[in-house]
Amino acid sequence: MKKVLVLGAGQLARMMELAGTPLNLDVKAFDVRSDKVVQPISPEHEYGDLAQGIINCDVITAEFEHVAHDTLSECEVSNKLYPSSNAIKIGGDRRLEKSLLAACQAANAKHYFVNNKTDFDKAISTLSLPIIFKSALDGYDGKGQWRLKSQADAQDTWQDIEKFLAESKGSVKQGIVAEQMVPFERELSLVGVRRLNGDIAVYPLTENHHTNGILSVSVAAPVNSDLQQQAGTVFKALTDELNYVGVMAIEFFQVDKTLLVNEIAPRVHNSGHWTQQGADTCQFENHLRAICDLPLGSTSLVRPTAMVNIIGEDQVSDEVLAIPSVTMHWYNKGKRAGRKMGHINVSGETELILAQRLVQLSTLLPAATFPDLAEFAQNYLAKQS
Ligand code: ATP
Ligand code: MG
């Protein structure tokens, strides 16, 4: 039985344990808040500190990219860490991410690095409004972002950013990446996996919808082969460059027929949760296969599938389970506004059936918790006829 240690003890580690058990993989997680190694599904079971966890495992991986650099170094010296600390650090720092995209000639939004007022003014004159300013480190779910639409608001925006920079502490210097706002048609992401020998498998592109800056719905259905090929080319370029091992997600903006990279995540990703029911092998199993150097599983779409995030709510009507091909995935987390608490996967033999089931689902879920779902489902249904 191979033993895997995941840095981070949240829902992604939990779903790795669920996927790893049938493969006879033992998955434990390092909870960075308690500094303890725990069982992801039953965190009350503790297995010592990080040093012991490193000794007791065969392979180490991460469920998030904002891991403290000294923790990454401690893991890297064991030669058990996949993907590498370099890849994880790149995913956690937008400045490094932009350099990687440049090295791989991957198209992305025009941008400018900002560390002070002079840079801020230069960003505004170099890029055209609207501009989105993003913290280089620690951003997630749209946090640490400022949108500037008009010059009149520039002073206020700078004051917010200046305060944010002044208050940032940490071993790595915080900074800002200013990005031209992209007038995208839609947001797509590609989840894929690479093994150390260079084998790659990618899932179909997934269409993503956000509500209040947080992913709310992802849909996987047969996609335009040209876009799929573009995304696959970027995936290969980035992962080959990093000699990457494991699952990586790339978020894209689609502008006309072109994909621009938004950001990368060096881990299993929320927009890949649909693979649990919609793909031959789910992203969690494929990540484990890759880091344990096992043959990769097929990433084929089995049937059109959507994932609906449950945000800030710890229960939904049991009647949801009466809809065919609906599965619930709770994360066993304490209820908090804006927190990802679980997700619902819905599949259909065709996109029409999937759309009908999404409409049915939306009638059973409270609009306060799922504000855009009914409209999304209706629009998706309308597109099928
Ligand atoms: P998450 O953790 O949810 O992936 P994040 O905090 O890492 O989010 P981004 O993905 O960079 O941040 O941005 C959040 C959202 O803001 C994007 O999904 C997109 O809707 C919007 N956005 C970000 N950058 C741009 C841009 N350059 N042009 C237009 N919209 C953007
Ligand atoms: Mg994002």
Side-chain angles (χ1 to χ4, degrees), residues 64 114 122 125 157 165 180 187 203 247 277 294 316 322 382:
F64 71 125
V114 174
K122 194 74 195 295
S125 58
T157 303
L165 289 176
Q180 184 88 63
E187 294 189 73
Y203 293 96
V247 163
Q277 270 71 42
L294 297 167
V316 297

Side-chain angles (χ1 to χ4, degrees), residues 210 251 262-263 269:
H210 296 79
E251 297 179 10
N262 172 25
E263 60 172 354
H269 194 252

Side-chain angles (χ1 to χ4, degrees), residues 126-174:
T126 310
L127 313 171
S128 51
L129 295 174
I131 294 171
I132 180 163
F133 294 88
K134 303 181 182 181
S135 66
L137 307 166
D138 302 330
Y140 72 98
D141 288 348
K143 293 185 172 57
Q145 300 192 348
W146 300 262
R147 289 162 196 238
L148 180 63
K149 296 191 179 114
S150 94
Q151 183 66 45
D153 299 326
Q155 191 55 33
D156 286 350
T157 303
W158 171 248
Q159 275 173 5
D160 288 349
I161 293 176
E162 190 178 35
K163 184 162 176 284
F164 173 81
L165 289 176
E167 286 170 358
S168 302
K169 331 185 212 330
S171 54
V172 182
K173 196 172 178 291
Q174 181 62 281

